[in-house]
Amino acid sequence: MRWSNLSAHTDDGSLPDRAAPAASPLPLALPGATVRTFDTPGFAGMTFYEVRAKSLINRVPSASRVPFEWTVNPYRGCSHACTYCLAGDTPILLADGSTRPLAQIRPGDSVMGTMGAGAHRRYVPTTVLDHWATSKPAFRVTLTDGTRLVSSGDHRFLTDRGWRHVSPTEPHLPALAVGDLMFGVGHFAEPPKESPDYQTGFLCGLLRGDAAGSGAARDGDAWIRADGYLDDVSLADALRWPDMPTPDWYRGFLAGAYGAVGRTDRLAVVFETVDQAYLRRITEALAHLGMASRTPAPASLRAASLSRSSLPGSSPSGARASLPVGRVETERHLEAALRFRHMTGASQLPLDASGVGVRTARRLAVADIEDLGLTLPLFDISTGTGDFIADGVVSHNCFARNTHTYLDFDAGNDFDTRIVVKVNAGELIRRELANPRWSGAPIAMGTNVDVYQRAEGRYRLMPEILAALRDHANPFSILTKGTLILRDLELLQQAAEVTTVGLAVSVGFVDETVWRAAEPGTPSPRRRLDMIRRLTDAGFPVSVLMAPILPGLTDTDESIGETVAAIASAGATSVTPLALHLRPGAREWYAAWIGKEYPQLRPRYRELFGNGSYMPRAYQDEIGARVRMAARRHGLHRPEAAEARRVTSTEPRRERESQQLTLL
């Protein structure tokens, strides 16, 4: 059973102050377990399950690529409250251009996400990894274009000032503000209703277009729809041009016209036919629905092949064969492509948006942020890119949730509101370190959930753990984003006097636009540099992982020099460069957008990656040499490979693989 290494904690009266027993049950029965809630605002709605663990030092699976073998995790779940949730009816952009309510998204679905940074951020298909539901106080964000998004206060959106929380509970977190510009295409158009006018317009567009169309087979989805519509609409009504077309008729007409003579050319929707009057109707319909179009000069292209049998009373096909082919096309950007698809309901309209640039506009400015005063059911997903498109704007998701399901909690609300606390962590690690069979191997902390999360401020488990490691002179390392680590500086200094203590902070570059792509959700380079400064001012050595380094983008002498200078100024003791690692999917996208934006780099990327995911040793050595030169200029020592991540001279497992940082 997954709880086999945990046992119930009986109430012995040694509770943190202001704690009260609660009645919320565990997912699995643990007789006598102590369940706590706290009345402080920071822990509102959260439940803490205090358990007495049977073991604390855990071996990392041998298949893992991390450069350590043993970890300690005194908590399961995270009280940082990084819950990024939206209302269930929020439309999510799928990779094929259609939308689906967030509540109906499932793991395995292909949605649209983004990759890159700043002017180089691009749309790219990505896979949904997880989906969960929760209940949170709700806020409504309204944009200038009328987009309305209902989310939790901790939800993040991409703006011109970076990722911003709607209404963060932590004062140090960046907050969304009126006037911020969001990134995306804006509010998705409402799909059409298949009213009688829509059906009539659809049939008119399809049948009249087919009369002078491309000769396509009449067995596609459009013709299947037409068969159904003809049960309710007469052929005479379908072929009649209405005197006063309604919006529904225009929507249907364009969907039918696309089925007859339409195609896509990248992001543009293109209509081609020899029937100029028909094309004028298409232009009229697009304009009525607020979609701009252009009409290139006609050319006698494929006129003969476009000739089809005509409707009764029309000119013979032979007379049409010599006519020039007219063309009408929509604007060539993603917003226009999506608006056409969503407004018309044109089925089987392919979307080729991979690599398209992500943009912002004044109409995407935040106009209002309103606390609804309600606790509502909300939903969230995690994706391969770490984001998704929610009602037309780029929205962030959370990653560190799946491990919570190991404890038979769900990965959504439970991750944020049900925190398992191993209250006996201090005594347990002391006993395990004293075991004659323990080898004294290095222990890594903060590798699953943050050991300095907010709950640590109340339970204070880390001082006991650090004291035990100090007393047994056992080497260890800590990875954290929490400034609470400064509370334990004295213990860390004492431990460093008797054993090796490793603290590593990742600072790949100081360009904030690149940071938002490589490490969204982490503290900014400025904040991390400030943490390094405070730790080193207290006398503690801090290693910096300069990661990831992006070939052709952040591996220039200027970028390396600027980053190393900032790291040196913060007081770091060493810097270790780590090269980019591209997983399948990311590798393909990189090839696409580099070929478009930086074609001169394509040969270099082929040389570096080939058909694999890792950089060759030669490139790593080259980067290492250039970083060493920069470090030497700024008085920084660059350690041997992987030194910043290990806490003894013992070589880490899978050294070659660990020398490259995964970007995604």
Side-chain angles (χ1 to χ4, degrees), residues 51-122:
V51 297
R52 296 188 65 84
K54 295 181 179 178
S55 63
L56 190 69
I57 302 176
N58 302 305
R59 182 188 291 272
V60 177
S62 59
S64 175
R65 294 186 174 186
V66 295
F68 45 82
E69 296 187 57
W70 301 94
T71 65
V72 162
N73 293 297
Y75 301 95
R76 292 285 189 179
C78 186
S79 57
H80 279 321
C82 45
T83 313
Y84 314 120
C85 302
L86 291 166
D89 60 353
T90 304
I92 304 303
L93 182 62
L94 304 185
D96 65 3
S98 62
T99 65
R100 187 181 302 163
L102 177 57
Q104 298 177 19
I105 298 291
R106 293 294 179 265
D109 288 343
S110 183
V111 300
M112 194 65 73
T114 74
M115 292 177 60
H120 304 299
R121 183 176 289 276
R122 299 289 186 264

Side-chain angles (χ1 to χ4, degrees), residues 105 109 177 236 251 263 270 301 383 501 541 615 652:
I105 298 291
D109 288 343
R251 290 187 181 210
R263 63 182 178 86
V270 178
L301 300 175
T383 70
V501 176
M615 299 284 190

Side-chain angles (χ1 to χ4, degrees), residues 174-410:
L176 191 68
V178 171
D180 283 345
L181 299 180
M182 289 196 181
F183 278 78
V185 297
H187 178 61
F188 296 140
E190 294 294 329
K193 296 179 174 62
E194 294 187 277
S195 65
D197 280 355
Y198 178 88
Q199 295 180 6
T200 302
F202 183 93
L203 290 170
C204 184
L206 182 67
L207 297 177
R208 286 189 173 273
D210 181 64
S214 61
R218 301 176 181 175
D219 57 0
D221 180 71
W223 291 98
I224 295 174
R225 294 174 68 183
D227 286 340
Y229 293 164
L230 284 170
D231 292 338
D232 301 313
V233 180
S234 70
L235 185 60
D237 287 340
L239 296 176
R240 183 182 302 114
W241 294 115
D243 294 331
M244 298 182 64
T246 65
D248 279 358
W249 188 93
Y250 280 127
R251 290 187 181 210
F253 175 74
L254 289 174
Y258 178 80
V261 300
R263 63 182 178 86
T264 58
D265 182 7
R266 187 59 166 153
L267 293 177
V269 180
V270 178
F271 302 90
E272 289 179 329
T273 179
V274 297
D275 190 336
Q276 300 299 319
Y278 180 72
L279 285 178
R280 286 194 292 272
R281 292 282 186 170
I282 291 175
T283 302
E284 175 188 327
L286 289 169
H288 185 87
L289 296 176
M291 289 182 277
S293 62
R294 60 187 295 267
T295 305
S300 299
L301 300 175
R302 298 180 289 111
S305 65
L306 286 173
S307 177
R308 296 291 307 268
S309 60
S310 62
L311 292 169
S314 62
S315 300
S317 61
R320 291 177 176 267
S322 60
L323 296 176
V325 177
R327 173 169 171 158
V328 172
E329 61 182 44
T330 63
E331 293 179 304
R332 293 176 174 268
H333 55 76
L334 183 58
E335 179 190 355
L338 294 175
R339 183 172 177 80
F340 181 90
R341 176 175 187 136
H342 298 161
M343 290 197 75
T344 66
S347 57
Q348 297 182 337
L349 194 161
L351 179 70
D352 183 13
S354 183
V356 173
V358 182
R359 300 291 181 260
T360 187
R362 290 305 313 173
R363 59 187 175 77
L364 299 183
V366 176
D368 188 41
I369 304 171
E370 178 186 1
D371 185 347
L372 296 180
L374 300 171
T375 297
L376 298 177
L378 301 173
F379 298 82
D380 198 13
I381 57 176
S382 63
T383 70
T385 59
D387 62 5
F388 54 96
I389 314 304
D391 203 6
V393 296
V394 182
S395 175
H396 201 280
N397 65 230
C398 181
F399 281 102
R401 294 177 178 272
N402 289 341
T403 55
H404 210 43
T405 61
Y406 179 78
L407 298 178
D408 293 302
F409 284 132
D410 67 57

Side-chain angles (χ1 to χ4, degrees), residues 515-561:
W515 153 66
R516 292 185 186 109
E519 296 173 316
T522 64
S524 69
R526 178 186 56 78
R527 291 185 59 202
R528 281 178 277 173
L529 290 168
D530 183 63
M531 178 182 289
I532 295 170
R533 188 173 293 108
R534 294 183 64 183
L535 290 170
T536 55
D537 285 348
F540 202 91
V542 179
S543 298
V544 170
L545 278 68
M546 191 170 163
I549 294 177
L550 310 179
L553 298 177
T554 64
D555 63 349
T556 64
D557 289 339
E558 180 182 6
S559 177
I560 290 175

